[in-house]
Each structure stands twice: as C-alpha cells, then as structure tokens.
Amino acid sequence: MDRRLQQHVDAWVAADLISADQAARIEEHERRWDGQGSRGGVAEAVGYVGAVLAVSSVLLFIGELWDTVAVAGRLALSGLLTVAVLGAGGALRSSPAASVQRLVSVLWFLGVAGTGWVAWVLADDALGLRDVDRALLVAGCVALAGGTVHLLRHRALSQVAALAGTVGVALALLDRPALDLEPAWWGLTLLAVGGAWAVLGDGGWLRPRSVAETAGASLALAGTQVGAFGEARVALLGLGVVVAAALVWAAMTRDGTHLLAVGALGLFVVVPQLVFELFGDAIGAPATLLVVGLLLVVLAVGLGRVRREVGRDD
C-alpha cells in the first residue's frame, strides 16, 4: 500500500475514526488493487509489443505478397485480423486495471481501422467500385464501427475514430456528384461537421466532453483554412476569426482551458493572414505585430480568468 495512505490509515485509527479491523480491510483491498495494477501494466506492455509486431508483419506481407493472394484470401486475412483484435479487446474489457483499459482502447481503435481495411478490400478488389464510392464505403464502415465501439466505451480513441469516419462520409458525399466545387464548400463542410461535434460534446451527448469539444473546434478551424484557399479567402478567414474568438470567449466564461488553447492558436494562425489580405504588404507587417500583441494580451486575460474559474470550482 502507498506509504502516504498507510500514514493516513494509521492516523484515522489513532483518532478513533475507523477501527483496527476496518484498517486491516483497507490495507488488504489496497494490496489486491496494487497487484492487479502491476499485472495490468505487464499485460499492457505485452499487448503493445504484440500489436506492433502484428502490424509490422501485416505491412511486410502486404508489401511483398499481397498481389499474389486471391481476393477471397485478402478478405479472409483482413477479416480474421480485424475480428481477432476486436475480440482481444472485448476479452479484456471487464478488467478493472486502468492500464488494461488503455490497452482495450488501442486494440479497439486498431479494430476500427481494420474494419476500414476490410471495406477497402471489398470495395477495391471484390466489387471494383470507383474512387468516390470506395471512399464512401470505407468511411461509412469506419464511422459505424467507431460509433459502435464508442457507445460501448466512451473513450478518446474511439471518439476520434468515429469522427474520422464521419468526416470521410461527409467529404465523400460532397464529392459524389463529380462537380468542380470551390474550396469554400469543402471548408464549410468541415466547419459544419466540427461545429456539430463540438456542440454535441458541450451538450454531453459525446464523451469525453473535452475531447469532443477540442476535436470539433480544431476541425472547424481547419475547415476555415481549407476554404481560404479559394476565391472566398477573405470571407473564410473572417469566419475563422469569429470561430476562434468564440472559443476564447467560451473558455473565459467557464473552465475551458482546452477551448482557450484551440481558440488562441486559431487566432494566431488566422488573424495575420486576414490582416495581410485586407491591408496588403505595405502596412501588413506592422498591423500584424500590433494584432499579435493584442492577442497576447487577450490570451493572458483568458488564462487568468480560466485559472480563477478552476480555482473557484475546486
């Protein structure tokens, strides 16, 4: 048992807060928990090594022998590996050790990726679908598998996998009509998906909440950058400033350090670009320095308010 906890238990017994029998039961419980944690750490390390070796062997096999294997064999190999990884995660799911739970998250994340692999083999080798349909099938399978895993375990990796699949589905649907779309459409699509993801996290429908908010906000800001490569550059950069400023404001009104980090980074990336677009090279550099200085002041205020809110909550 941890030495500090042992000192606390001894002090509780001396103060007659708990009995000697209760203290003994606490010590026995902590010894069992420490043993489980130690075994869990060994299992986690062994599992990671096994996963690395398995992935390495698959990549080696694909590089050297994949073209010589029949389509049925490719489907069987990818399917069996995916089922094995998902099954290993399911078998360890009930373990109370935190290290084993981390291993489960990694195994199921690899299983979701394996689902996309199976879908790719099916779409490309077996069905011969065109690029956009193949991308839609793969992204849909990843989104479905990631969402299912996330419903079973609300962990960061499964949520990221579900978000990646969702983004893939949205972009594939946008690309399906085979139209020559402006970058603004792609950027606005990413902005919409990211904004919806962040709102779902803020409302508690996606957990962990901080992961959903951070991933969604980052995707939304990335969308404004993607859209800024087209003719609507100024409008998309302005929208990026609005999104980043809203994130900073949200962080200052509640304990949202993660939102402050994303919003501040967004302001530092987007605002200088917008300044140069509006004022040109002549006064762009001095104006950028001024804006960056003001942003640093805003960041300092935001950090102060966030820390104060966190302290008040504690």
Side-chain angles (χ1 to χ4, degrees):
M1 185 170 64
D2 181 77
R3 185 166 58 87
R4 290 184 60 189
L5 179 57
Q6 182 67 62
Q7 293 174 348
H8 284 306
V9 171
D10 293 340
W12 296 337
V13 173
D16 203 23
L17 297 176
I18 61 175
S19 65
D21 180 62
Q22 290 173 322
R25 290 167 60 189
I26 291 174
E27 293 172 3
E28 177 63 24
H29 176 272
E30 290 301 313
R31 275 195 295 270
R32 287 200 304 269
W33 183 262
D34 289 343
Q36 289 176 350
S38 176
R39 291 192 297 272
V42 173
E44 182 183 21
V46 172
Y48 289 151
V49 172
V52 170
L53 292 177
V55 171
S56 301
S57 64
V58 168
L59 293 177
L60 183 62
F61 179 83
I62 291 175
E64 295 185 356
L65 302 174
W66 188 254
D67 292 336
T68 65
V69 179
V71 175
R74 298 177 188 180
L75 284 172
L77 177 62
S78 57
L80 285 174
L81 289 175
T82 300
V83 170
V85 172
L86 291 173
L92 296 173
R93 182 188 172 197
S94 59
S95 173
S99 55
V100 176
Q101 291 303 312
R102 290 193 297 268
L103 177 60
V104 172
S105 295
V106 173
L107 289 174
W108 277 4
F109 181 81
L110 293 176
V112 172
T115 303
W117 181 26
V118 174
W120 177 272
V121 174
L122 178 64
D124 187 51
D125 298 333
L127 301 179
L129 300 180
R130 58 180 182 145
D131 290 346
V132 63
D133 293 330
R134 182 168 59 240
L136 181 59
L137 178 61
V138 172
C141 290
V142 170
L144 180 61
T148 301
V149 169
H150 191 64
L151 287 176
L152 296 175
R153 299 177 77 254
H154 299 290
R155 298 301 176 100
L157 281 178
S158 60
Q159 187 186 135
V160 169
L163 176 58
T166 303
V167 171
V169 169
L171 295 181
L173 289 174
L174 188 63
D175 192 38
R176 205 166 191 281
L179 299 176
D180 188 14
L181 298 175
E182 276 289 313
W185 290 102
W186 301 96
L188 290 174
T189 300
L190 294 176
L191 174 62
V193 175
W197 204 266
V199 169
L200 289 174
D202 182 65
W205 289 287
L206 283 174
R207 292 177 289 165
R209 172 181 170 182
S210 60
V211 174
E213 292 178 338
T214 302
S218 301
L219 181 62
L221 286 172
T224 63
Q225 285 291 285
V226 171
F229 283 101
E231 295 180 357
R233 178 171 175 79
V234 174
L236 267 296
L237 289 176
L239 187 57
V241 172
V242 171
V243 173
L247 292 173
V248 173
W249 176 81
M252 290 191 295
T253 56
R254 56 187 178 89
D255 53 334
T257 309
H258 56 291
L259 294 179
L260 179 62
V262 176
L265 180 61
L267 288 175
F268 280 109
V269 170
V270 177
V271 169
Q273 299 179 62
L274 183 59
V275 170
F276 271 98
E277 287 295 325
L278 294 177
F279 300 105
D281 295 337
I283 61 173
T288 299
L289 291 176
L290 174 61
V291 170
V292 170
L294 294 176
L295 290 178
L296 289 174
V297 174
V298 171
L299 179 60
V301 174
L303 286 172
R305 286 187 61 87
V306 168
R307 288 175 179 173
R308 188 161 61 249
E309 292 293 334
V310 172
R312 195 175 299 152
D313 291 342
D314 291 342

